[in-house]
Amino acid sequence: MACLMGLAVTLLVACQPIGAPPLSTPASVEEFIEGASGVGDPIFPLLGNGGYDVQHYTIDLSVDAARNEIAGATTIRSEAIHPLRSFHLDLAGLKVEEVTVNGAQASFERSGQELTIIPSSPLNAGALFTTFVTYAGTPTPIEDADLGFVAQGWNWRDGVIFVVSEPQGAMTWYPVNNHPIDKATYTLRITVEEPNVVAANGVLVEEIDHGDRRTFVWEMAQPMASYLTTVVIGDFVRVEETASTGVTIRHYFPPRYADQLTQAFANTDEMLTFYSDLLGTYPFDAYGAAVMPFPLSFALETQTLSIFGLDMATEGVNAHELAHQWFGNAVTLASWNQTWLNEGFATYLQRLWLEHKLGREFLETGMRRYYAMLSAMKTPAPGNVDARSLFSLSVYERGAWVLHALRLRIGDERFRQFLRTYFTRFKDGVASTEDFIAVANEVSEQDLTDFLQSWIYDENLPPIPEGTVSISSD
Ligand code: TRP
Ligand code: ZN
């Protein structure tokens, strides 16, 4: 869903700039191209692929949880953007057995994470086509020295399977156009042996009993970036929280911690109400936490079902991952050097929840403490990070300060209007720093470009703007 969302015209015509001459010549054989192996991400050149746009994934997995083996059949419905002789998917590890395109056997090659598919007949621009890939093996999560705190993708630990992929790991368990600019909807059909339970993104629409095995069908009806797909398999209880917003709140907890975690997450509904009032209606049908029975030192905002290490089940982290559902998930970063757009927003919104409960002075004092720390540490600018700084202090805390500085500069009322406008405009798609600045300029009716750029890109931390609040910074 990258290029054109929901318009009933062909991409070939609709993606032409307005005023360009119509493309009228039918593609001859020579015009078919080989789809690119990446979408040009500045940090991950091989993530995503060129030439087509995925609309829907149906991932059908049979999982032997005791041995960590999977047999998969993934069906991908896409639209060709260019006339294609071949195209790529991303898949790391596993053994591919068969590939068909529109039901006909296709040939394929593998090289690293690139799965190249050559359909038996080429695809015309604008054509809808279905790719079907069967595969099997034990998924291997990606260990990357730049992101040492996590093995990205499909993890197996103490009899539990959980998927945490940001940024690259989705390709460890299904073939995918693995870049946020190509969001799609998903159906996840996962079969496991009893008594395992499967939780995944979206809504549990069906549970099929086969005797000693069960299939859980999960439907993610709104567009989702691949790094936000998740599956959790193991011994979990589903705990529903009363919801006042019409959103289903369902958590998945290890049975022996269920009471304590039910308490810890009991105000999720109140948080959902707070963020919905502040930002606009919650963008998905359900929300909840899946808490692992062991510590992880991280949590991840997997869409509609955030994953938490047992050590991360706190109110602050809950607010952070919930806030990501608006910023990060519904509105997603356009490229991986702009993680501040995800993390700066979630960090600042987490503080706004605390401000809501504890007051403006609490927020201001906290923000100024971080400012002093960023200043003392000479923390670099968050706006264009490299692979090692994707989830650095700068991205979280200088990122949060970009928003606080904007708020001090334009006042609370305009700032709220900014958050709502930015969310509504880019929901279900991606946004860049440029988009962020453009909306700030528009809503404030001022040219804030230099001001915001200095907060986002300058090596030195800019001075705190004179705000409407006066609180001594010691
Ligand atoms: N986005 C996570 C957060 O809420 C941090 C993170 C990045 C992460 N990559 C991850 C967590 C991979 C788990 C796995 O701040
Ligand atoms: Zn985050």
Side-chain angles (χ1 to χ4, degrees):
M1 296 208 185
C3 183
L4 240 207
M5 277 171 294
L7 293 188
V9 282
T10 71
L11 284 166
L12 184 66
V13 173
C15 286
Q16 285 293 298
I18 292 162
L23 291 181
S24 52
T25 33
S28 67
V29 175
E30 295 90 293
E31 288 170 329
F32 287 102
I33 61 162
E34 293 173 8
S37 60
V39 296
D41 189 273
I43 298 187
F44 302 109
L46 290 179
L47 285 190
N49 304 285
Y52 66 94
D53 186 36
V54 177
Q55 298 176 337
H56 189 81
Y57 294 89
T58 302
I59 305 173
D60 198 332
L61 289 188
S62 174
V63 180
D64 181 336
R67 301 171 58 161
N68 193 26
E69 286 172 359
I70 68 171
T74 291
T75 307
I76 308 171
R77 206 173 67 228
S78 312
E79 183 159 2
I81 296 170
H82 298 293
L84 293 171
R85 187 202 322 282
S86 68
F87 63 94
H88 287 226
L89 286 164
D90 302 313
L91 183 68
L94 301 168
K95 182 169 172 21
V96 173
E97 282 150 4
E98 187 190 28
V99 179
T100 70
V101 175
N102 293 332
Q105 199 84 31
S107 60
F108 64 90
E109 289 157 16
R110 299 194 67 185
S111 169
Q113 69 191 54
E114 297 301 317
L115 167 63
T116 306
I117 296 173
I118 306 109
S120 59
S121 44
L123 302 161
N124 290 313
L128 291 174
F129 66 101
T130 300
T131 308
F132 178 73
V133 181
T134 56
Y135 52 99
T138 296
T140 312
I142 297 167
E143 305 270 4
D144 176 351
D146 288 333
L147 283 178
F149 64 91
V150 65
Q152 297 161 55
W154 182 281
N155 279 262
W156 182 60
R157 187 189 303 187
D158 298 350
V160 172
I161 287 164
F162 63 99
V163 175
V164 287
S165 293
E166 188 180 16
Q168 299 201 68
M171 62 188 174
T172 64
W173 64 287
Y174 65 99
V176 54
N177 196 25
N178 199 15
H179 193 278
I181 61 163
D182 193 5
K183 291 187 180 185
T185 52
Y186 284 74
T187 305
L188 298 152
R189 303 175 57 91
I190 319 280
T191 304
V192 288
E193 60 273 73
E194 301 255 14
N196 287 300
V197 166
V198 180
N201 309 96
V203 174
L204 177 62
V205 290
E206 204 182 349
E207 212 182 298
I208 307 156
D209 203 332
H210 311 287
D212 55 351
R213 291 171 72 71
R214 267 186 298 180
T215 302
F216 295 78
V217 185
W218 287 82
E219 197 72 45
M220 183 65 241
Q222 291 81 29
M224 173 163 72
S226 56
Y227 77 93
L228 297 167
T229 54
T230 197
V231 175
V232 173
I233 302 172
D235 182 15
F236 290 93
V237 288
R238 178 178 167 116
V239 173
E240 300 207 358
E241 197 179 312
T242 316
S244 50
T245 55
V247 175
T248 302
I249 301 181
R250 77 288 180 264
H251 305 296
Y252 282 82
F253 297 144
R256 70 179 179 284
Y257 300 112
D259 288 348
Q260 162 190 347
L261 290 169
T262 300
Q263 285 304 309
F265 285 89
N267 57 2
T268 306
D269 177 51
E270 207 189 323
M271 284 184 194
L272 253 167
T273 304
F274 168 71
Y275 287 127
S276 299
D277 288 348
L278 179 68
L279 306 169
T281 310
Y282 178 73
F284 311 117
D285 302 321
Y287 187 67
V291 182
M292 300 303 106
F294 35 74
L296 290 171
S297 336
F298 62 68
L300 180 65
E301 65 269 22
T302 31
Q303 193 153 302
T304 74
L305 185 73
S306 300
I307 307 272
F308 292 73
L310 188 58
D311 54 336
M312 291 287 115
T314 66
E315 181 169 358
V317 180
N318 191 25
H320 181 102
E321 308 311 335
L322 178 58
H324 266 308
Q325 305 301 316
W326 282 263
F327 297 111
N329 299 8
V331 180
T332 307
L333 77 196
S335 61
W336 283 110
N337 57 338
Q338 309 182 66
T339 43
W340 85 270
L341 288 170
N342 284 10
E343 300 306 341
F345 271 80
T347 302
Y348 193 59
L349 284 162
Q350 166 186 358
R351 305 263 158 77
L352 294 190
W353 164 255
L354 295 174
E355 177 185 7
H356 168 69
K357 291 185 72 181
L358 303 171
R360 175 77 193 232
E361 189 160 338
F362 176 85
L363 173 96
E364 202 59 45
T365 309
M367 290 307 293
R368 277 161 206 254
R369 211 167 276 152
Y370 275 107
Y371 184 90
M373 177 168 92
L374 293 170
S375 166
M377 292 174 69
K378 300 203 184 320
T379 310
N384 180 15
V385 289
D386 61 18
R388 283 202 316 272
S389 309
L390 287 175
F391 303 101
S392 60
L393 178 73
S394 169
V395 159
Y396 285 76
E397 295 300 342
R398 241 187 103 166
W401 253 103
V402 174
L403 291 165
H404 195 54
L406 174 63
R407 176 178 171 189
L408 291 173
R409 174 80 184 245
I410 68 178
D412 284 7
E413 197 46 50
R414 294 277 173 133
F415 181 69
R416 260 194 289 271
Q417 199 189 331
F418 162 79
L419 289 173
R420 298 180 77 87
T421 307
Y422 179 73
F423 168 66
T424 312
R425 188 159 309 162
F426 295 102
K427 170 172 122 68
D428 292 339
V430 297
S432 66
T433 300
E434 260 175 45
D435 297 322
F436 167 84
I437 294 174
V439 174
N441 288 344
E442 176 190 317
V443 171
S444 68
E445 300 175 273
Q446 299 174 48
D447 186 0
L448 299 173
T449 308
D450 290 345
F451 170 77
L452 289 171
Q453 282 186 345
S454 70
W455 276 94
I456 297 166
Y457 297 118
D458 278 7
E459 199 177 317
N460 295 322
L461 198 58
I464 297 177
E466 298 291 326
T468 46
V469 276
S470 53
I471 291 201
S472 69
S473 55
D474 300 330

